[in-house]
Each structure stands twice: as C-alpha cells, then as structure tokens.
Amino acid sequence: QVQLVESGGGLVQAGGSLRLSCAASGNILSIDTMAWYRQAPGKQREWVGSTTSGGTTNYADVVKGRFTISRDNHANTVYLQMNSLKPEDTAVYFCYARILSRVTWYNYWGQGTQVTVSS
C-alpha cells in the first residue's frame, strides 16, 4: 500500500510565498514522475509541473518563473516552492506520483492541500 501525504498549504497575501511538500510512503520500489496539479473552484484539474527521476522538470506557462519543483529521491518527497503568488493561484493542490509497487507501476494521488491567495 502506498500513500502520498501533502503539507504546507495555507492562506497567503498576493506576492507572498508558500512551500508545499508531498511525501510518498509504503511499498515503494521506485518512483518515476512526480508532479503537482491544482484545481480551482468550478474548474478542471490542471497540471502545474512535473519532475522525472532523471531530473527533468517542466512547468505550465502560467507558473513558469514563479514556481519551482524539487525532489528528494532518498526521502521519496517532492516539493513545490511557490513565489510571487497571485489570487488566481488559489486552488487545491494535488501531488501525483507514478510508483513501482511490487511488480506493477501505479498512479497515485495525494489528498490535496488548499492554497488561498488573498488580494
């Protein structure tokens, strides 16, 4: 059994910063892609950015230059550093990971953490 647990969400003023964490635990043999998604009220879930096990990182245009994804492979943890936050960044942020558990690759999601940016 594998779990992704996110932390670090909260309320911040526009222009501020937050750092989200997502730790994977359980029967993990290997982790490939780890990513962040977000879902604002009334909108579809959207991709924020992702990082591969090889270190390649990509970002959605709307966050490029403001958000940074990093990863601690030893701790099976991915981080999302969010700077220069805007009210439109308000959303529930979800962590995603593609994990080899036992002999099969699975897609896992965290429970989500709320980020609210006030104007």
Side-chain angles (χ1 to χ4, degrees):
Q1 187 173 354
V2 173
Q3 283 188 321
L4 299 183
V5 178
E6 297 133 340
S7 60
L11 173 65
V12 64
Q13 288 188 332
S17 298
L18 280 176
R19 188 190 194 211
L20 306 184
S21 300
C22 171
S25 63
N27 192 344
I28 298 171
L29 296 178
S30 182
I31 302 178
D32 186 12
T33 298
M34 301 187 84
W36 290 95
Y37 288 75
R38 67 186 184 184
Q39 187 166 17
K43 295 187 176 181
Q44 289 189 331
R45 189 173 298 190
E46 66 173 354
W47 173 74
V48 173
S50 57
T51 181
T52 67
S53 58
T56 299
T57 305
N58 292 288
Y59 301 93
D61 288 343
V62 293
V63 306
K64 200 173 293 183
R66 300 186 298 122
F67 291 10
T68 302
I69 294 175
S70 60
R71 178 171 172 168
D72 182 341
N73 289 323
H74 294 292
N76 292 333
T77 300
V78 64
Y79 304 94
L80 179 65
Q81 177 67 43
M82 304 184 291
N83 299 327
S84 302
L85 282 161
K86 305 174 182 180
E88 50 264 43
D89 293 318
T90 295
V92 178
Y93 283 71
F94 296 91
C95 172
Y96 160 89
R98 183 152 177 82
I99 294 175
L100 179 63
S101 181
R102 295 185 177 88
V103 295
T104 305
W105 288 93
Y106 296 95
N107 298 318
Y108 291 94
W109 292 89
Q111 80 286 358
T113 185
Q114 177 71 47
V115 171
T116 303
V117 184
S118 63
S119 57

